[in-house]
Amino acid sequence: KAGVTQTPRYLIKTRGQQVTLSCSPISGHRSVSWYQQTPGQGLQFLFEYFSETQRNKGNFPGRFSGRQFSNSRSEMNVSTLELGDSALYLCASSETDRGNEQFFGPGTRLTVL
Amino acid sequence: DAKTTQPTSMDCAEGRAANLPCNHSTISGNEYVYWYRQIHSQGPQYIIHGLKNNETNEMASLIITEDRKSSTLILPHATLRDTAVYYCIVRVAVSYDKVIFGPGTSLSVIP
């Protein structure tokens, strides 16, 4: 099976713009989680989707949002970008909602200038 | 905050076993111990997880103490490609339980 794919891999935006990142989970996986990784804060949980429903959300402002489609693909959106949003955004998928390990994608490196 | 504590860094000679400790003294009865690793600039990679019994797979072994307050990840024959940051995490085994990563242990495998 193909692994988790994320597009784009690299992105450069300016302050105030908005951005949409995409994640395609492993075929058959229905749960998708998003994480932000920065050198200062490490890996931080953003939100998790299962069957198109957001079931958990981390401590991030409302500028960060996401959604999941019926084919389990997910997108996350960041509006009104700030310099501090520069980070590696990671998507992880798991097969079901019970006891399964998460498989991470390679991430999208977002740079905000 | 992360529920685990790990040493900041460790070295291991190539070909020797790497033993990475993790303390999780406040672990709950329904929380599993998971290990991931992250090689520079890549997404984290799942290694192994367990509840209370020792576990082994093709990558590593996980030894959990009887009181479940600590565990050790063992890479039996470390190679240079095992150089990475290793994260020990405790979480309930449902996907919507947020995964809280601590700073992890930076393992350097030395030739």
Side-chain angles (χ1 to χ4, degrees):
Chain A
K1 285 184 181 179
V4 177
T5 57
Q6 293 186 244
T7 57
R9 291 293 311 279
Y10 302 91
L11 203 51
I12 298 175
K13 293 284 188 179
T14 56
R15 280 181 297 174
Q17 287 187 308
Q18 68 118 26
V19 67
T20 299
L21 311 181
S22 181
C23 170
S24 293
I26 292 171
S27 178
H29 285 198
R30 296 169 60 192
S31 170
V32 173
S33 298
W34 287 90
Y35 297 85
Q36 181 197 64
Q37 186 173 32
T38 60
Q41 299 296 321
L43 265 160
Q44 293 188 287
F45 173 83
L46 279 158
F47 25 65
E48 188 265 352
Y49 288 88
F50 182 82
S51 294
E52 303 178 64
T53 301
Q54 185 184 93
R55 299 192 301 174
N56 205 344
K57 191 176 191 303
N59 296 323
F60 280 82
R63 300 185 296 108
F64 291 81
S65 63
R67 58 178 176 169
Q68 186 181 34
F69 302 96
S70 58
N71 62 359
S72 295
R73 190 177 68 85
S74 178
E75 289 181 346
M76 67 161 283
N77 184 277
V78 188
S79 62
T80 320
L81 283 166
E82 301 177 358
L83 296 179
D85 297 333
S86 294
L88 180 67
Y89 289 88
L90 292 156
C91 164
S93 76
S94 57
E95 189 172 351
T96 68
D97 62 343
R98 293 285 162 185
N100 293 100
E101 62 269 22
Q102 294 184 323
F103 295 88
F104 283 81
T108 293
R109 174 75 62 184
L110 172 66
T111 301
V112 182
L113 303 176
Chain B
D1 291 337
K3 301 178 183 179
T4 62
T5 56
Q6 300 175 252
T8 303
S9 62
M10 293 180 62
D11 291 340
C12 177
E14 188 179 15
R16 303 296 295 269
N19 296 285
L20 292 90
C22 178
N23 287 320
H24 31 79
S25 58
T26 61
I27 191 170
S28 301
N30 63 345
E31 288 181 318
Y32 286 68
V33 180
Y34 284 77
W35 283 84
Y36 290 82
R37 72 180 182 184
Q38 188 173 25
I39 297 169
H40 183 62
S41 297
Q42 298 181 22
Q45 177 189 24
Y46 165 82
I47 301 173
I48 198 167
H49 76 283
L51 183 64
K52 55 184 178 181
N53 297 321
N54 298 338
E55 301 288 343
T56 295
N57 63 20
E58 64 278 4
M59 289 183 67
S61 295
L62 174 60
I63 308 299
I64 303 174
T65 58
E66 193 169 342
D67 62 8
R68 301 212 319 126
K69 293 185 176 181
S70 65
S71 60
T72 301
L73 178 75
I74 301 173
L75 308 177
H77 306 286
T79 70
L80 298 180
R81 287 180 293 181
D82 292 323
T83 293
V85 177
Y86 287 77
Y87 298 99
C88 168
I89 295 145
V90 295
R91 60 183 288 254
V92 178
V94 291
S95 63
Y96 54 80
D97 187 34
K98 63 180 72 173
V99 181
I100 302 176
F101 286 82
T105 295
S106 178
L107 175 69
S108 296
V109 179
I110 312 299

